[in-house]
Amino acid sequence: MILLLSSTLFFSALSHAEVAVIVNKDNTVELTKGKIKRIFLKKIKTYENGQKISVASLKVGHSASTQFNSYVLGKTASKLKAYWSKLTFTGKAKPMEYVDTSEEMISKVKADPNMIAYIDASKVTDDVRVLAKF
Amino acid sequence: MKLRKLVVNVFLTSVIATTCVAIAEVNLSGFASINAGKVLSGSGVPHLGLEPTFLADYPIVSAYEEEWDFDPESLFGVQIQAELYDGLSATAQVVARGANEWDPEFEWAYISYEINDNWTIQAGKKRLPLFYYSDFYDVGYAYVWMRAPADNYTWQIFNYTGINALYSTELGDWSITTNLYAGREDDKENKLLGNFFAGGAEIREIWKDIFGGVVSASNDWFEARLTVMDYTNERYRDGERHFWGDKNTRDGTFYGAAFNLTFENCFVLTEISRLDLIGDFDTRMITFGYEFNTVTPFIAYSDYDTEGEDGEQHNTTSIGIRWDFHESAAFKVQYDDVDDKSVALAVAGDSESITFGVDIVF
């Protein structure tokens, strides 16, 4: 019993909510972490081929969103909210689009060849291409 | 001003109504601040008959006295943004303030067109972007203090109606943004000049032939913003044209620079400005803060100085804490020690005050 308990603890210490950045299956883009960060802060708005990037994030409070904000954007939820409010209430950027679940996100990315988004890595399916994991 | 407001309202409404079928999306968002404060002790300005007062916000005239008051800095803002078709949008922001009996006003009302990835053209009524915090001045959630330093944000005109061009690009690790703008503002009953300084006289303040530019550059840890603005000032007092000596207009040039640094959990915010009008009016501000997870204590100093003997001169030392207790709300408490060194041009005298409140965005 004790052995089982300790091995369970050992494995749960190893795993954490991994985030997968996904794009449409037809999108062959390659991006560094730095570029991904700037895309999700709407500082980079087009692909190298000139196509407009559409971007969506998981809703605030979703474990993958917390992970992404911390690992990729380097911002807490509050700092990110302050960042967006500086842009959206001054006409400098459209608000970030938020989606509730990984499943909904996959449908959106499947339908939009120019979309970049992120989901819980454990929810990845064959419908999308994984660009990076964090 | 009323006619222009009506025209802007009708224009926006008709644009939105007639293109109802073409609207891709209408976004509703907003912000609110519920703040309260009181002067703990103060000198007032006896020779002007002013009781102990803390003027927390000059253009809005947010004045606290020795009784707890929720009105001076509380506000509620709603923004409606309608995306019309590819790249064209119409935005309106209506704000109701406790300091103005909660009468809602269209603070921003403009159309925006994204020409391409770098350029956007906008036209309509917007905030005058003199200072780093001017654009989002009303969105308390976006900055650390209770309000942007009062000694710096003293100018009685803070909106304009006109046209502007935004340019943004990335250069390596740097994000560069620029704004070029032109327009005018005609404030029929200027609150700061009329109600606060002139004991209730009706002051019509006009800033025309406004032409300005802003350049900002930022990377992960550093941000710089530089700005210059030119304008011509006209004024009427109780319907009579005002003269400065023998001239009924005067030209001003505004210069501003802000530099912000972050190093791990520490940050430093600085801003200096000069208004070259009839002599120089200078402002400075520095703030230090440290982010402990969701609690951010800060200390700030700001001042306003005019050259020469007995010009307007005042400074504020502030300490406070911001607590991000919820993902869309922040609680703040701040202590402000104001030293008003001016005599003939005294503003509100010395004061020590405490203010606290909650800022939200939605």
Side-chain angles (χ1 to χ4, degrees):
Chain A
M1 187 62 177
I2 293 171
L3 199 65
L4 188 67
L5 195 66
S6 57
S7 61
T8 311
L9 283 173
F10 174 67
F11 281 113
S12 59
L14 273 186
S15 67
H16 58 276
E18 256 201 329
V19 171
V21 176
I22 56 171
V23 291
N24 187 278
K25 281 201 97 68
D26 296 332
N27 190 340
T28 56
V29 73
E30 293 292 349
L31 294 166
T32 60
K33 182 180 176 182
K35 286 227 154 98
I36 291 174
K37 174 178 175 173
R38 281 150 113 184
I39 285 171
F40 279 88
L41 291 177
K42 295 205 183 184
K43 294 186 175 189
I44 295 178
K45 296 170 225 169
T46 53
Y47 291 104
E48 300 211 344
N49 64 12
Q51 290 286 317
K52 247 191 155 79
I53 299 176
S54 49
V55 62
S57 300
L58 284 172
K59 68 173 183 191
V60 181
H62 192 295
S63 60
S65 142
T66 310
Q67 176 85 351
F68 184 83
N69 292 345
S70 162
Y71 272 56
V72 181
L73 303 183
K75 289 186 195 283
T76 60
S78 309
K79 297 286 347 236
L80 192 56
K81 199 124 198 171
Y83 172 81
W84 289 120
S85 61
K86 275 163 76 170
L87 297 177
T88 60
F89 293 117
T90 60
K92 302 219 175 82
K94 302 284 186 309
M96 170 57 72
E97 185 183 349
Y98 292 105
V99 172
D100 287 344
T101 66
S102 297
E103 290 79 7
E104 271 176 72
M105 196 66 97
I106 288 174
S107 318
K108 285 184 87 73
V109 171
K110 196 174 161 187
D112 184 349
N114 292 322
M115 179 162 266
I116 294 184
Y118 63 84
I119 56 170
D120 185 337
S122 67
K123 301 277 172 84
V124 169
T125 67
D126 280 339
D127 289 330
V128 294
R129 177 185 157 229
V130 173
L131 194 58
K133 279 194 183 172
F134 300 101
Chain B
M1 193 59 197
K2 263 211 165 82
L3 179 65
R4 179 171 288 136
K5 194 198 280 202
L6 187 65
V7 167
V8 171
N9 289 2
V10 169
F11 172 67
L12 265 182
T13 315
S14 58
V15 162
I16 291 174
T18 56
T19 58
C20 239
V21 178
I23 289 180
E25 206 169 297
V26 176
N27 266 305
L28 189 71
S29 55
F31 47 89
S33 294
I34 303 299
N35 295 325
K38 131 187 180 71
V39 172
L40 300 168
S41 73
S43 66
V45 186
H47 68 266
L48 294 175
L50 192 69
E51 295 292 303
T53 299
F54 169 42
L55 190 60
D57 184 327
Y58 282 51
I60 306 297
V61 189
S62 303
Y64 292 99
E65 293 179 341
E66 284 174 307
E67 301 247 312
W68 283 106
D69 197 349
F70 273 84
D71 278 336
E73 291 183 292
S74 294
L75 58 84
F76 198 98
V78 171
Q79 175 163 290
I80 301 169
Q81 189 168 60
E83 259 167 87
L84 301 171
Y85 52 88
D86 208 32
L88 183 69
S89 63
T91 307
Q93 204 180 99
V94 178
V95 181
R97 304 175 194 277
N100 291 342
E101 287 87 47
W102 296 96
D103 285 338
E105 282 274 325
F106 272 90
E107 298 275 343
W108 299 61
Y110 63 95
I111 53 175
S112 184
Y113 180 63
E114 254 178 63
I115 296 174
N116 59 33
D117 198 35
N118 304 109
W119 287 97
T120 299
I121 296 267
Q122 301 175 323
K125 183 182 162 122
K126 310 177 89 205
R127 191 65 94 231
L128 191 61
L130 294 179
F131 295 92
Y132 181 96
Y133 305 91
S134 297
D135 272 349
F136 49 97
Y137 188 67
D138 289 330
V139 188
Y141 190 89
Y143 45 79
V144 72
W145 331 269
M146 282 291 300
R147 84 286 301 175
D151 301 287
N152 291 194
Y153 290 69
T154 59
W155 304 115
Q156 62 272 18
I157 293 294
F158 55 101
N159 289 330
Y160 77 102
T161 302
I163 185 165
N164 70 293
L166 295 174
Y167 175 80
S168 65
T169 189
E170 300 285 297
L171 286 178
D173 283 342
W174 295 85
S175 297
I176 313 284
T177 61
T178 66
N179 183 14
L180 270 175
Y181 61 96
R184 64 180 273 139
E185 175 72 353
D186 185 343
D187 190 2
K188 298 290 195 301
E189 288 179 49
N190 189 267
K191 201 177 175 195
L192 181 64
L193 296 180
N195 294 24
F196 192 81
F197 285 124
E202 186 188 276
I203 307 272
R204 177 181 172 192
E205 180 77 349
I206 298 171
W207 286 23
K208 64 178 197 177
D209 298 330
I210 294 174
F211 190 73
V214 183
V215 178
S216 301
S218 65
N219 66 11
D220 272 348
W221 55 272
F222 177 75
E223 191 173 7
R225 181 188 192 267
L226 303 173
T227 184
V228 179
M229 188 274 275
D230 253 350
Y231 73 105
T232 298
N233 183 200
E234 280 176 19
R235 188 175 292 172
Y236 294 79
R237 189 188 170 113
D238 291 324
E240 298 273 311
R241 186 67 176 260
H242 181 88
F243 281 77
W244 293 281
D246 58 352
K247 292 170 64 174
N248 62 9
T249 68
R250 53 181 185 169
D251 291 335
T253 305
F254 179 91
Y255 307 90
F259 303 100
N260 299 335
L261 282 107
T262 49
F263 179 69
E264 304 208 338
N265 293 21
C266 298
F267 61 86
V268 182
L269 311 170
T270 68
E271 186 156 38
I272 55 175
S273 82
R274 162 165 290 182
L275 177 63
D276 181 354
L277 194 56
I278 37 151
D280 293 329
F281 304 97
D282 293 340
T283 71
R284 297 180 302 181
M285 180 281 284
I286 186 158
T287 301
F288 295 96
Y290 191 94
E291 289 168 14
F292 290 96
N293 203 11
T294 57
V295 175
T296 305
F298 58 88
I299 181 163
Y301 172 82
S302 57
D303 72 22
Y304 179 102
D305 198 19
T306 48
E307 46 184 12
E309 298 278 312
D310 203 29
E312 185 183 325
Q313 229 191 5
H314 40 82
N315 66 62
T316 306
T317 305
S318 315
I319 54 169
I321 293 181
R322 172 181 167 139
W323 173 31
D324 288 289
F325 67 94
H326 181 277
E327 81 210 20
S328 302
F331 171 82
K332 295 171 181 169
V333 59
Q334 185 166 320
Y335 167 82
D336 292 278
D337 186 344
V338 179
D339 187 2
D340 189 346
K341 297 180 187 303
S342 358
V343 178
L345 292 175
V347 176
D350 299 342
S351 64
E352 287 168 47
S353 310
I354 189 141
T355 50
F356 68 92
V358 174
D359 295 320
I360 64 168
V361 287
F362 56 87

